[in-house]
Amino acid sequence: MSTAAFPAAVLPTQQIGSEPTSGPSTEQLLELSMGPQHPSTHGVFRMNVVLDGERVVRLKPVFGYLHRNHEKIAESETYLGSMPYTDRLDYICPLTNNWAYALAVEKLAGIQVPERAEYLRVIVGELTRLQNHACLVGFLMQDMGCSGTPLMYAFRQREMVLDLFEALTGARMMCNYMRFGGCRVDLPAGWLDQTKKVLQQFPRFLDEFERLLIGNEILMGRTQGIGVLSKELAVSAGISGPMARASGVDYDIRKVDRYGIYDRFAFRVPLGSHGDVYDRLMIRVLEMRESLGILDQAMRDLPAGPIVDPKTKIRGFRPKPGEAYGRIEAPKGELGFYLISDGSPNPYRYRVRPPSLINLTVLEDLCLGHNVADIVIILGSVDIVLGEVDR
Amino acid sequence: MDLEKIKSEVEANVPGCRLETVANPSPSVQHSLRLDPEHAVAVATFLRDAVGLRFDFCSNVTGIDWPPTEVSQKVKVRRLVEGVEQEVDEVQKTTTPGSIEVVYHLFSIELKHGPLVLRMSTQDRDAGVHLPSLTHVWRSAEFQEREIFDLFGVVFDGHPDLRRLLMWDEFVDHPMRRDYIEPDDFEYEPTAHDEVLRRAQQHQSETRPADEGGIR
């Protein structure tokens, strides 16, 4: 299979020469190359789809258009030098990427994090989850052909959160905020009040969104029963995050690992029962409501104190030889970092466990038997960012 | 979960398997279990299905390259020096063959414990880079083993669809190996000359036929 030139959108099967394994005779089948320049693929991602009429009989994802070997680059960097680069993995949620990496290094070197820094991490982490899920819901509506309005409503909310990130870290998206053993800067004056203002508007936005769209008959027709993922397959295929919970897998790393200070907050883990696109959409809306609850508690209890462990070395940081796997519940699923130290300033091995890539393992299983137009919303409901898929 | 307990339980239930615990000196205390490749599928299936273990969620699969290392050792040798037998120091060099290690991080969704770290090593880095695929035990290994095949060059026997994942199919090397040398950016070099031109010609004649614009 050559990817030398971007293939024409539609070619007769005879010219492509790849025989699908099932379905009717190849004479009637059509091979369709969706992407990498297709707007619904959320980036540069390609799917080789074989169609029988409108029905999908085979689908093979093609990765690597955004591959820059992040892991190799990180091996020639110092530990801290990779921190800004983790922003570029899942560029919708830079702060949770920072957090996962900081957590893995803290496990590797045995660094303690001060109380206030843990609270700040929870606050920015949950804000990240809010804006990621708002974004995803908006994108999914756009993918269904609901042009413009819902996406702009979602982006209006997201921009407010990004303004908060800018006030705190100096950047809207490439935040580079966490440090090993804490955070980089403390809250600027008035930041908490501004955050409270933004969060007060959020329930209204969610109510409005639900009233406008979730009970919509067309939306239900498009999403219910589409792309059903069974619980067994979700566990076996390593599906994590909202996508697994939509299939009824009761697994939230915030509850299981209780990393940071998540054992101090009361929140529920919403679960789906059908595992279709509709459940995956609703899970995000419900998780946003839970995140609002966590944020309220965290901002109420935020203690005073240092934001970084003063004993942690910033320059000349050399963890003792060993290895560690640290993971957090990122908005897209389980984001893990696996690090091996050989005692030098650079990690010997640096591995990112990308939730977006692993959630795509079942893409073919979800799409088989559905129409071409459903591929777009099934992919949209997986929630991928190509910066993380291809690394 | 106690690793020694898991080890003895696996050894009792999978006859003939050779397991070895690998200590991790870092504060994370994530010790790991080294499998022998012949029994890896049986051990993995047991870990997944056994009551009380139920490691049903294979979270992370990755490779580590350990290139051949030269170890110098000082040994005392008896030798004739100027006609007199004396004990002298001599440096002996031994080369370890190197290997590629594959690591699996397992968790249990049902019992909510983990991580259990499994490791397997290839015999060497050339002809013996074969390991059994665990994709049939945990589907999540499918893309991740493809990525290791792509970036490290480990051939997973029994994998249903072993192709490159991130690099293009015509690519010849394995970029995550420690001894990988990056090519110059010759594909876009406007005035390639000397060494760059020679390597560009060699590369393009390997990867692209002349009638598609390869330099000859």
Side-chain angles (χ1 to χ4, degrees), chain A residues 195-335:
Chain A
T195 309
K196 276 177 192 149
K197 259 185 221 158
V198 170
L199 294 182
Q200 269 165 12
Q201 297 169 357
F202 237 94
R204 218 180 117 241
F205 155 72
L206 290 175
D207 292 342
E208 181 186 54
F209 221 75
E210 276 187 55
R211 259 207 319 281
L212 188 65
L213 294 159
I214 305 294
N216 184 314
E217 205 172 311
I218 302 171
L219 182 134
M220 281 151 82
R222 276 304 300 278
T223 56
Q224 290 187 342
I226 301 294
V228 176
L229 175 64
S230 73
K231 194 174 171 180
E232 292 70 37
L233 182 60
V235 172
S236 166
I239 309 299
S240 52
M243 198 180 165
R245 291 193 285 276
S247 296
V249 180
D250 182 11
Y251 200 74
D252 188 320
I253 298 171
R254 290 175 294 176
K255 288 277 189 198
V256 176
D257 281 12
R258 298 171 169 272
Y259 61 91
I261 47 163
Y262 268 112
D263 47 352
R264 298 187 193 175
F265 305 115
F267 65 100
R268 293 172 300 170
V269 179
L271 294 180
S273 50
H274 296 87
D276 54 5
V277 175
Y278 186 78
D279 275 10
R280 292 201 273 278
L281 180 65
M282 278 306 286
I283 284 284
R284 263 83 182 208
V285 177
L286 293 171
E287 282 198 358
M288 276 194 266
R289 292 195 188 277
E290 295 301 320
S291 287
L292 288 174
I294 298 175
L295 278 166
D296 276 348
Q297 297 169 50
M299 290 202 294
R300 189 191 61 210
D301 301 342
L302 179 68
I307 56 157
V308 72
D309 181 15
K311 278 179 285 184
T312 313
K313 281 173 91 175
I314 297 287
R315 298 192 195 286
F317 175 68
R318 291 158 183 259
K320 291 198 179 70
E323 60 173 55
Y325 179 68
R327 57 175 196 162
I328 67 161
E329 181 72 36
K332 293 185 167 57
E334 173 185 340
L335 176 64

Side-chain angles (χ1 to χ4, degrees), chain B residues 6-162:
Chain B
I6 297 176
K7 181 175 171 242
S8 53
E9 202 170 325
V10 174
E11 276 168 344
N13 285 281
V14 184
C17 72
R18 296 185 301 279
L19 300 179
E20 188 190 332
T21 49
V22 183
N24 178 4
S26 98
S28 70
V29 291
Q30 294 167 345
H31 306 301
S32 46
L33 207 57
R34 184 181 298 285
L35 312 182
D36 62 317
E38 298 91 72
H39 298 89
V41 176
V43 172
T45 314
F46 175 75
L47 288 171
R48 185 192 64 184
D49 296 334
V51 182
L53 297 176
R54 294 289 287 146
F55 286 101
D56 47 9
F57 188 78
C58 176
S59 169
N60 180 41
V61 186
T62 189
I64 308 158
D65 184 18
W66 301 103
T69 44
E70 217 173 52
V71 186
S72 309
Q73 214 176 1
K74 265 192 182 174
V75 230
K76 290 204 187 298
V77 207
R78 294 197 77 82
R79 186 172 296 166
L80 282 173
V81 182
E82 294 167 359
V84 191
E85 195 175 77
Q86 280 182 350
E87 199 170 71
V88 286
D89 284 345
E90 200 182 68
V91 178
Q92 274 186 356
K93 283 184 179 167
T94 46
T95 312
T96 57
S99 67
I100 294 172
E101 202 173 26
V102 177
V103 182
Y104 294 79
H105 283 85
L106 311 180
F107 292 88
S108 170
I109 288 212
E110 197 180 304
L111 304 173
K112 306 220 172 2
H113 58 86
L116 174 66
V117 191
L118 302 183
R119 325 179 82 90
M120 275 195 286
S121 287
T122 61
Q123 285 166 2
D124 53 44
R125 296 166 79 251
D126 310 308
V129 283
H130 285 263
L131 284 179
S133 166
L134 301 185
T135 301
H136 294 289
V137 186
W138 297 286
R139 176 81 191 278
S140 56
E142 184 185 342
F143 283 177
Q144 302 191 69
E145 285 181 346
R146 267 180 72 185
E147 188 183 317
I148 298 167
F149 167 71
D150 183 356
L151 302 181
F152 288 91
V154 177
V155 180
F156 288 95
D157 299 322
H159 191 286
D161 182 22
L162 198 62

